[in-house]
Amino acid sequence: MPSVHPEILIVGAGVVGLTTALMLAERGVSVTLLDRQLVGREASWAGAGMLPPGNAANADTPEARLRSYSHGLWPEFAADLTDRTGIDIGYHICGAIEVCAHDQQEEFHQLDTQWQAEGIRVERLSAQEVQQHVADMDGRFQNSLFLPDFAQVRNPRYLKALKAACLQRDVEILEHVQALDIHQKDGRISEVRVESRTLQFDRICFAVGAWSASLLQPLGFALPVKPVRGQIVQLQLPTQPFRCVIQLGRRYLVPRRDGLILIGSTEENAGFAKHTTTEGVAGLLDFAKSLVPSLAHAKVVHTWAGLRPGSPDELPLLGPVPEFSNVFIGAGHFRSGLQMSPATGTILADLMLGETPAISLDGLEAARFSSSATASLAGD
Ligand SMILES: Cc1cc2nc3c(=O)[nH]c(=O)nc-3n(C[C@H](O)[C@H](O)[C@H](O)COP(=O)(O)OP(=O)(O)OC[C@H]3O[C@@H](n4cnc5c(N)ncnc54)[C@H](O)[C@@H]3O)c2cc1C
């Protein structure tokens, strides 16, 4: 087959690769996006689709900057994607209740202080007020917070819409591309052989989620990204029993408008094993019943697990790889890749086109672990 020459090759078609491809294509850049399987079948498909709010005016940490940037982009981005593709991605503002367990008072107050300091709308709720949002909520939670601007998206539909929008913008999407033969020369990667075809390009972006370390290590770049398994149980009820997300620590219930409820999620270091376990599923079901006892009667329709791309500080790694003049990375989004995807795609597109992103990337640089990363991976 003849060689093709896109300006930019993106390896990995999860939410990071897809949003980056779309943002580039919208600016008239020719893009090829490839994945070793179908588009969007890994962590991005498995996630719960929660989109916490942000406030750019008071965002003074790397995480808050990226979250608030994305929060600002989401409403228009979601509306535009739905208009263009005709796919309802389920984006809506549903609110979220953060409940406080008896033994987690300190963490809960820290969270309250953090939301207040960021200037995010937050209301304190008594146990009776919680029951106005969730009629069957267990009465033991005396302190809760309500975040009215918390939103959600149905990520499988979001990924489908991103793929459709990419195709509308002439992004070339190559699925089931198994073997990558990557050639580096003089600090550049400008050719990748995939099966019977050679792809040549000006710049390349790796957006391969939990697989980043294994793909990049042979190129001499140690990226400390590791898989963190998350399991989810999906329940089905005849109608939506409550509208808002309920969170307790790092676990949550996410109600969809058609009566489905996601119970998430575990955080496990299980390597690349992507199966659910009896312990994980049982723990999630117990958690759900302990918050909303009537869920004991709900039908279990599905369970699944996904591999979050975890970094040492739980923050994404974005931008150029210093050892190369044309290589970029978008990885390590851990628990927030869906929320942060509109901002991530925009930033990576900016960087690859030599433009200055709208927010500071201090603390999010792809190379921030380069020296320590080599040592830590070598010890594994
Ligand atoms: C259970 C769970 C719940 C979550 N809940 C939320 C949530 O509520 N809100 C939120 O914002 N985030 C959530 N997340 C996190 C979010 O899903 C991730 O941060 C995000 O999906 C990461 O996107 P990604 O594109 O980097 O990775 P992925 O979606 O994993 O995509 C990486 C892609 O690279 C491809 N690939 C890998 N190796 C190669 C190779 N050698 N060649 C070609 N392609 C390759 C893979 O096939 C895959 O398609 C959750 C995650 C999980 C698992």
Side-chain angles (χ1 to χ4, degrees):
M1 284 179 81
S3 295
V4 292
H5 193 162
E7 285 169 75
I8 294 181
L9 176 69
I10 299 175
V11 183
V15 76
V16 171
L18 282 160
T19 47
T20 306
L22 182 58
M23 301 303 182
L24 285 164
E26 281 180 343
R27 299 187 206 177
V29 180
S30 71
V31 182
T32 294
L33 172 64
L34 68 81
D35 202 289
R36 63 178 175 192
Q37 52 178 318
L38 289 174
V39 159
R41 300 302 298 177
E42 290 292 348
S44 304
W45 180 91
M50 295 181 293
L51 311 176
N55 175 12
N58 295 334
D60 57 5
T61 64
E63 187 275 336
R65 276 196 295 276
L66 192 57
R67 170 168 43 80
S68 61
Y69 185 24
S70 240
H71 174 71
L73 296 174
W74 257 110
E76 199 181 323
F77 183 58
D80 187 48
L81 208 50
T82 301
D83 280 355
R84 253 197 247 177
T85 63
I87 297 170
D88 172 7
I89 65 169
Y91 171 82
H92 67 284
I93 295 170
C94 55
I97 293 179
E98 299 264 2
V99 294
C100 175
H102 192 60
D103 58 350
Q104 289 176 339
Q105 302 283 338
E106 201 176 315
E107 292 90 327
F108 182 77
H109 287 299
Q110 273 172 9
L111 198 62
D112 188 6
T113 311
Q114 184 197 317
W115 290 123
Q116 306 270 5
E118 248 188 82
I120 285 167
R121 288 204 299 150
V122 52
E123 299 162 18
R124 296 210 174 93
L125 302 181
S126 65
Q128 287 85 346
E129 287 166 327
V130 169
Q131 281 169 341
Q132 288 165 14
H133 291 276
V134 186
D136 299 329
M137 186 82 179
D138 188 279
R140 74 183 186 280
F141 300 105
Q142 293 306 316
N143 291 317
S144 299
L145 301 175
F146 182 61
L147 295 161
D149 298 321
F150 200 104
Q152 63 168 282
V153 68
R154 290 189 71 154
N155 32 313
R157 298 183 190 180
Y158 174 42
L159 294 160
K160 196 173 161 194
L162 285 172
K163 179 181 177 185
C166 280
L167 290 172
Q168 282 171 4
R169 291 275 183 279
D170 294 327
V171 172
E172 182 189 29
I173 298 182
L174 305 176
E175 296 178 309
H176 296 299
V177 172
Q178 293 293 344
L180 288 183
D181 185 6
I182 300 172
H183 287 261
Q184 52 174 314
K185 195 175 169 203
D186 303 329
R188 287 179 66 78
I189 300 176
S190 37
E191 197 174 289
V192 167
R193 270 201 279 281
V194 295
E195 287 144 20
S196 57
R197 187 169 165 184
T198 300
L199 299 170
Q200 292 171 321
F201 41 83
D202 299 327
R203 280 143 285 169
I204 181 168
C205 178
F206 290 98
V208 289
W211 294 267
S212 300
S214 51
L215 196 62
L216 288 157
Q217 202 158 29
L219 301 173
F221 188 63
L223 205 64
V225 174
K226 292 187 177 173
V228 181
R229 184 168 69 193
Q231 302 185 39
I232 289 206
V233 175
Q234 190 185 51
L235 307 179
Q236 187 172 39
L237 287 101
T239 54
Q240 189 178 29
F242 48 89
R243 207 182 154 263
C244 57
V245 166
I246 307 173
Q247 296 200 92
L248 172 57
R250 286 160 90 96
R251 295 193 167 197
Y252 47 80
L253 302 176
V254 181
R256 303 299 197 205
R257 287 190 282 210
D258 55 6
L260 293 173
I261 295 183
L262 306 189
I263 313 170
S265 177
T266 60
E267 270 185 37
E268 302 161 86
N269 293 314
F272 289 94
K274 207 182 64 176
H275 56 266
T276 52
T277 61
T278 45
E279 187 183 29
V281 169
L284 291 171
L285 290 170
D286 285 346
F287 165 75
K289 286 182 285 180
S290 76
L291 288 187
V292 183
S294 60
L295 292 179
H297 310 292
K299 182 175 168 187
V300 176
V301 282
H302 203 178
T303 61
W304 65 80
L307 302 175
R308 305 177 186 92
S311 70
D313 56 9
E314 302 187 355
L315 292 176
L317 298 112
L318 301 175
V321 177
E323 288 82 350
F324 295 91
S325 61
N326 69 336
V327 181
F328 296 79
I329 284 174
H333 288 70
F334 192 41
R335 293 175 61 106
S336 307
L338 294 156
Q339 197 281 347
M340 291 172 170
S341 56
T344 295
T346 308
I347 288 169
L348 286 172
D350 289 338
L351 293 171
M352 280 187 275
L353 298 179
E355 293 166 15
T356 307
I359 61 164
S360 158
L361 295 183
D362 283 356
L364 299 169
E365 306 90 339
R368 69 185 182 278
F369 298 110
S370 350
S371 49
S372 57
T374 314
S376 118
L377 285 169
D380 275 358

